[in-house]
Amino acid sequence: MKITTDMLHPELRQVGKWIRRLQPKMNQRKMKKLGRFSQKVLYGKYSGPNRLREVWIPRKDGSLLRLCVFRPRERMSSDKEIFLNHSGKQWDASIDKAPGLLWLHGGGYSLGAPEQDASLIDDFIRVSGSVVVAPDYTLSGDAPYPAALEDAYLALQWLKDLASEYGVRSDQLFIGGNSAGGGLTAALSLLARDRGEVNIALQIPLYPMLDASRQTASAQIENSPVWNSQYNEVAWKMYLGPDYQAENLPIYASPAQATDYSNLPPTYTHVGTMEPFFDETVSYISHLLEAGVPVHFKLFEGAYHAFDIIQPNTPIAREARAHLLTTFKYAVDNYFSEQPN
């Protein structure tokens, strides 16, 4: 299945055309090399308005997981956290707390680092005062599933356990991510529900990578900008490793295989119609609605994968960002989930 340039949204056509022309063929060796390069380029590169602190927490095997903890600059590091409200008045963090957001970066499970989403993280903080924890989860070039998901769960547990210390409301733990980060978000929601140790008040799986079977019509698009069927096949092979094409994959590896969508957190997502994950996103949302999960969903006609990141200054990308942030603010005011005893 192929798309033509005129099938893309008018604001995205020119850049989308050039991306398609310049996209190289992909294989596992190239993907792994790009993963290492992306980390080298991105690590430590943050110059935004908020404070970034790196925290290292132990995994079960004794290795360390790097967390990037983003906080509003008004929060001062002393014996206790101090906030400034809009009038300039100070108050103790133990009195007024903010939501905690676990954010999982995209990159086909094989590329990227937490710093790549700094602009969006800054926006989440700007509209809500949230504390955002972005784990540097294990890329598939270093270890296949379930390494990345277990890192995400470990970071979620850390956020729950340290919520008070960082001025986070324990009843407002949100999770989200884009692309593969969206897939990890959906998987993490299922895993947290089934383990029963952490309650999530909101999930934001943006244009998520959910379906290892790759059998939907949109997953067959050979020439979509940024992410296409070939890239998708390579990425799933790397992520699943020896389990690639195995029957009865765990739902935590490929959330599209889930059959029970009950008791999942309220959900926001958006997706474009000209990208490989269109059909699986729409199917996922349909299952959530059938299960009675509150859903906020926005569809963008003619948009390719990650259009809101690649062309952030176009009106359609600004609309996507505004819709996301408006819903996020609504969630801050309306979605809560007490932690289990």
Side-chain angles (χ1 to χ4, degrees):
M1 177 181 176
K2 293 186 177 182
I3 62 174
T4 58
T5 300
D6 61 4
M7 296 170 71
L8 297 175
H9 189 281
E11 296 166 9
L12 306 175
R13 284 176 188 165
Q14 191 64 28
V15 171
K17 179 178 69 174
W18 281 106
I19 292 174
R20 287 165 55 191
R21 287 182 179 178
L22 296 172
Q23 278 182 177
K25 296 290 184 180
M26 189 55 63
N27 57 40
Q28 293 189 49
R29 181 183 60 81
K30 288 182 180 178
M31 191 80 83
K32 187 173 183 178
K33 186 176 180 180
L34 282 173
R36 290 172 176 169
F37 177 76
S38 65
Q39 290 182 320
K40 182 177 180 180
V41 169
L42 291 165
Y43 273 14
K45 302 298 191 299
Y46 177 72
S47 57
N50 298 296
R51 298 179 61 206
L52 169 59
R53 177 185 177 189
E54 288 185 319
V55 178
W56 301 81
I57 60 175
R59 298 184 177 96
K60 291 180 180 178
D61 64 3
S63 64
L64 298 176
L65 171 63
R66 183 177 74 109
L67 306 180
C68 293
V69 183
F70 297 83
R71 294 184 289 171
R73 192 164 292 279
E74 289 81 2
R75 298 188 179 192
M76 303 172 187
S77 180
S78 59
D79 291 338
K80 62 182 179 180
E81 295 285 322
I82 301 295
F83 296 76
L84 300 177
N85 67 11
H86 295 298
S87 66
K89 183 180 178 181
Q90 294 185 350
W91 66 84
D92 191 324
S94 63
I95 299 173
D96 246 338
K97 295 182 179 179
L101 171 62
L102 181 74
W103 188 257
L104 302 160
H105 69 81
Y109 301 108
S110 54
L111 309 170
E115 289 90 342
Q116 72 188 46
D117 288 328
S119 173
L120 179 54
I121 289 170
D122 287 342
D123 277 349
F124 283 132
I125 294 174
R126 175 176 57 82
V127 302
S128 67
S130 297
V131 173
V132 181
V133 177
D136 187 19
Y137 62 80
T138 303
L139 299 182
S140 60
D142 295 318
Y145 168 85
L149 181 59
E150 290 295 349
D151 281 350
Y153 190 80
L154 180 63
L156 179 64
Q157 288 182 305
W158 181 88
L159 180 58
K160 175 195 171 186
D161 293 343
L162 275 294
S164 179
E165 180 178 328
Y166 280 80
V168 170
R169 294 186 59 125
S170 63
D171 62 352
Q172 277 202 311
L173 301 186
F174 300 161
I175 65 173
N178 45 24
S179 192
L184 280 174
T185 296
L188 184 60
S189 288
L190 290 165
L191 187 62
R193 179 199 66 184
D194 296 345
R195 287 184 176 176
E197 298 171 332
V198 186
N199 286 339
I200 298 166
L202 173 75
Q203 66 162 344
I204 310 170
L206 299 182
Y207 34 86
M209 184 175 174
L210 299 168
D211 191 355
S213 74
R214 301 173 291 105
Q215 296 302 305
T216 66
S218 64
Q220 309 307 311
I221 301 176
E222 300 173 17
N223 64 335
S224 50
V226 180
W227 200 255
N228 56 39
S229 58
Q230 184 199 36
Y231 283 42
N232 206 27
E233 180 180 11
V234 172
W236 277 113
K237 282 182 178 179
M238 292 180 63
Y239 184 59
L240 297 177
D243 292 330
Y244 179 68
Q245 292 186 325
E247 294 183 6
N248 302 317
L249 276 173
I251 60 174
Y252 314 121
S254 179
Q257 272 63 63
T259 56
D260 179 9
Y261 292 80
S262 63
N263 300 314
L264 290 174
T267 301
Y268 172 88
T269 188
H270 61 247
V271 69
T273 60
M274 291 293 110
E275 74 141 279
F277 302 146
F278 166 64
D279 286 330
E280 58 203 70
T281 301
V282 171
S283 176
Y284 181 67
I285 290 302
S286 298
H287 288 310
L288 291 174
L289 287 170
E290 290 170 1
V293 175
V295 168
H296 306 264
F297 178 51
K298 184 74 172 177
L299 188 64
F300 290 93
E301 291 288 341
Y304 60 77
H305 186 66
F307 71 97
D308 50 345
I309 296 174
I310 304 299
Q311 295 185 251
N313 294 321
T314 56
I316 188 174
R318 289 198 294 267
E319 180 186 355
R321 180 66 63 90
H323 195 266
L324 167 59
L325 294 176
T326 297
T327 306
F328 189 75
K329 289 190 289 185
Y330 174 85
V332 170
D333 292 335
N334 293 277
Y335 293 145
F336 305 88
S337 184
E338 297 287 344
Q339 295 305 317
N341 295 326

